[in-house]
């Protein structure tokens, strides 16, 4: 009996020792295999690394919230979120970090379209699917990403110009010379490229429309205001401002007011995104129209991931449906807006 007890004690010591040894070794294994130690605590959660552009606009904030409220533990996810502060180099670092941590999926909202081949090649090599959201990437090998979900930015440009043509017609100004300035988004981003190109194409149909100048306001309110101030100093008789997002339009509106002019009347304000604050601006009479760009991509990306998890195929390019909101619709619709 005594012997049995001794044997049991020895066995227990051995078992404890093995458990300790196992733990220590596990951490070591995780490190050498490049896995984040914390990922061993993730259990069955799907780990998603999301490289976000930054926090430059209301649209972006809504987009971030959409991801953060969708990719929660209760829904079976662990979200690793990285804010790139509008710099592609930070995004490349973030993606490499996600690869190191061996995440299950990488989601990128790219700042600009070009320059993605190398890092996406690394993700492919590591066997991690990459989903692109919002802006597009320009790569020669489309096997470098699984799919893309976002907006048709060129169509948004067409919609803005078509709204202007209709508005001028209603105002009896179709044949007048119309002087336009554009506050462009981040140069080289799909949202900038598409919106600029869409409007540009429509200029061909309106020889009386003159594009006086185009400059980037980096999608921010402060830069939008700064660029508009300089436009107002350089050009007399600006009839229309096309701001490639709402926040730059808000900056432009402030600059116009400071120059003693009336936005929405003396100068027509056309914008993109249609965030809630744009509806407020339209109700106040400052902004004339906002072309919608939908930021609620979180649930869309989750749906894609769920399909991929089941081994189902997903469409390579997925466009989101969007509308055009002129000032006269703002009061009725503001309460129903989700962002
Ligand atoms: O219009 C702007 C944001 O890429 C669609 O980025 C997005 C744009 C959006 O900063 O407000």
């Amino acid at each position: 009996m005594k012997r049995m007890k001794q044997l049991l004690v020895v066995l227990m010591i051995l078992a404890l020792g093995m458990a300790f040894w196992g733990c220590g070794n596990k951490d070591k294994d995780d490190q050498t295999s490049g896995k984040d130690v914390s990922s061993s605590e993730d259990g069955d959660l799907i780990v998603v690394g999301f490289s976000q552009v930054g926090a430059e606009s209301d649209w972006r904030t809504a987009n971030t919230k959409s991801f953060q409220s969708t990719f929660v533990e209760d829904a079976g996810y662990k979200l690793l979120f990285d804010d790139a502060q509008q710099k592609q180099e930070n995004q490349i670092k973030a993606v490499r970090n996600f690869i190191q941590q061996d995440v299950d999926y990488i989601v990128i909202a790219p700042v600009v379209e070009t320059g993605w081949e190398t890092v996406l090649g690394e993700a492919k090599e590591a066997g991690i699917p990459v989903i692109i959201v919002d802006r597009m990437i320009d790569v020669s090998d489309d096997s470098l990403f699984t799919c893309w979900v976002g907006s048709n930015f060129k169509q948004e440009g067409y919609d803005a110009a078509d709204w202007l043509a209709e508005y001028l017609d209603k105002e009896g100004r179709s044949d007048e010379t119309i002087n336009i300035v554009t506050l462009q988004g981040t140069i080289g981003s799909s949202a900038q490229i598409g919106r600029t190109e869409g409007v540009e194409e429509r200029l061909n149909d309106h020889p009386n429309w003159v594009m006086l100048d185009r400059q980037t306001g980096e999608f921010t309110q402060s830069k939008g205001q700064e660029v508009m101030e300089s436009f107002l100093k350089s050009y007399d008789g600006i009839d229309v401002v096309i701001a490639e997002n709402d926040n730059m339009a808000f900056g432009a509106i402030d600059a116009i007011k400071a120059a003693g002019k009336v936005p929405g009347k003396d100068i027509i304000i056309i914008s993109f995104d249609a965030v809630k604050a744009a509806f407020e601006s339209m109700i106040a009479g400052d902004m004339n129209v906002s072309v919608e760009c939908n930021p609620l991509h979180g649930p869309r990306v989750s749906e894609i991931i769920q399909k991929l998890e089941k081994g189902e195929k997903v469409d390579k390019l997925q466009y989101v449906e969007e509308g055009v909101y002129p000032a006269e619709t703002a009061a009725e619709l503001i309460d129903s807006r989700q962002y």
Side-chain angles (χ1 to χ4, degrees):
M1 200 58 194
K2 208 176 164 196
R3 277 196 138 183
M4 268 294 266
K5 262 190 185 165
Q6 276 172 343
L7 197 68
L8 259 175
V9 171
V10 169
L11 278 176
M12 271 169 72
I13 290 171
L14 263 175
L16 268 171
M18 276 176 77
F20 273 121
W21 181 79
C23 275
N25 226 29
K26 193 157 173 245
D27 279 356
K28 219 166 139 215
D29 277 349
D30 282 346
Q31 274 157 22
T32 47
S33 66
K35 279 200 186 190
D36 183 12
V37 179
S38 66
S39 68
S40 59
E41 294 154 16
D42 297 335
D44 289 336
L45 297 179
I46 299 171
V47 183
V48 178
F50 176 35
S51 169
Q52 175 62 293
V53 168
E56 72 284 2
S57 64
D58 288 19
W59 189 99
R60 190 63 56 197
T61 306
N63 182 246
T64 294
K65 274 193 195 146
S66 173
F67 275 90
Q68 287 175 335
S69 59
T70 304
F71 291 92
V72 292
E73 289 202 6
D74 281 352
Y77 293 109
K78 175 170 178 179
L79 180 68
L80 307 181
F81 179 84
D82 186 89
D83 176 336
Q85 317 219 323
Q86 296 238 64
K87 291 201 180 87
Q88 186 184 33
E89 65 205 73
N90 290 343
Q91 295 204 286
I92 291 173
K93 266 188 223 149
V95 171
R96 291 206 165 116
N97 212 356
F98 296 150
I99 297 172
Q100 268 261 314
Q101 297 190 52
D102 197 17
V103 300
D104 298 310
Y105 294 88
I106 292 175
V107 180
I108 308 174
V111 178
V112 288
E113 293 191 346
T114 54
W116 291 102
E117 260 92 0
T118 310
V119 76
L120 292 190
E122 291 164 24
K124 189 178 170 184
E125 184 104 326
I128 304 174
V130 172
I131 299 166
I132 308 291
V133 290
D134 165 23
R135 305 172 185 175
M136 206 0 168
I137 55 168
D138 182 6
V139 284
S140 48
D141 172 7
D142 78 357
S143 76
L144 289 175
F145 64 101
T146 304
C147 63
W148 165 86
V149 57
S151 307
N152 186 336
F153 299 113
K154 198 166 184 181
Q155 183 60 49
E156 292 175 0
Y158 293 146
D159 290 345
D162 293 345
W163 175 87
L164 180 61
E166 221 177 276
Y167 181 79
L168 292 172
D169 194 33
K170 270 194 252 158
E171 298 279 299
R173 298 176 65 187
S174 289
D175 300 322
E176 263 178 43
T177 298
I178 301 294
N179 291 317
I180 309 172
V181 291
T182 301
L183 299 169
Q184 293 177 293
T186 302
I187 301 297
S189 68
S190 310
Q192 175 273 315
I193 296 170
R195 290 167 187 169
T196 301
E197 278 180 6
V199 171
E200 175 76 15
E201 268 185 39
R202 288 292 197 260
L203 287 181
N204 299 328
D205 305 334
H206 303 277
N208 56 321
W209 292 8
V210 183
M211 187 60 71
L212 293 175
D213 210 339
R214 288 189 179 109
Q215 267 178 53
T216 182
E218 304 288 354
F219 282 129
T220 69
Q221 179 157 344
S222 57
K223 197 81 204 296
Q225 179 167 350
E226 203 181 300
V227 175
M228 191 62 212
E229 281 163 6
S230 86
F231 281 164
L232 287 162
K233 282 185 195 134
S234 308
Y235 306 101
D236 280 334
I238 296 171
D239 297 298
V240 179
V241 175
I242 300 180
E244 288 181 355
N245 82 343
D246 287 333
N247 289 81
M248 292 191 294
F250 304 148
I253 286 166
D254 288 345
I256 292 167
K257 286 181 178 168
K261 299 200 175 190
V262 184
K265 293 201 175 62
D266 298 340
I267 300 181
I268 299 166
I269 311 288
I270 300 177
S271 183
F272 296 87
D273 284 354
V275 295
K276 210 153 199 163
F279 282 73
E280 282 158 12
S281 178
M282 289 192 274
I283 291 168
D286 294 336
M287 185 184 282
N288 299 81
V289 66
S290 193
V291 176
E292 185 183 33
C293 183
N294 191 309
L296 307 178
H297 294 320
R300 295 184 185 114
V301 173
S302 173
E303 205 183 303
I304 289 169
I305 289 177
Q306 291 306 323
K307 279 192 181 159
L308 293 172
E309 286 289 298
K310 286 186 213 135
E312 289 173 21
K313 279 209 150 204
V314 295
D315 290 337
K316 191 89 188 177
L317 303 179
Q318 304 188 22
Y319 288 94
V320 172
E321 278 207 23
E322 294 165 334
V324 177
Y325 297 102
E328 57 273 20
T329 65
E332 197 192 319
L333 294 177
I334 188 163
D335 290 337
S336 64
R337 301 299 295 167
Q338 288 179 64
Y339 51 89

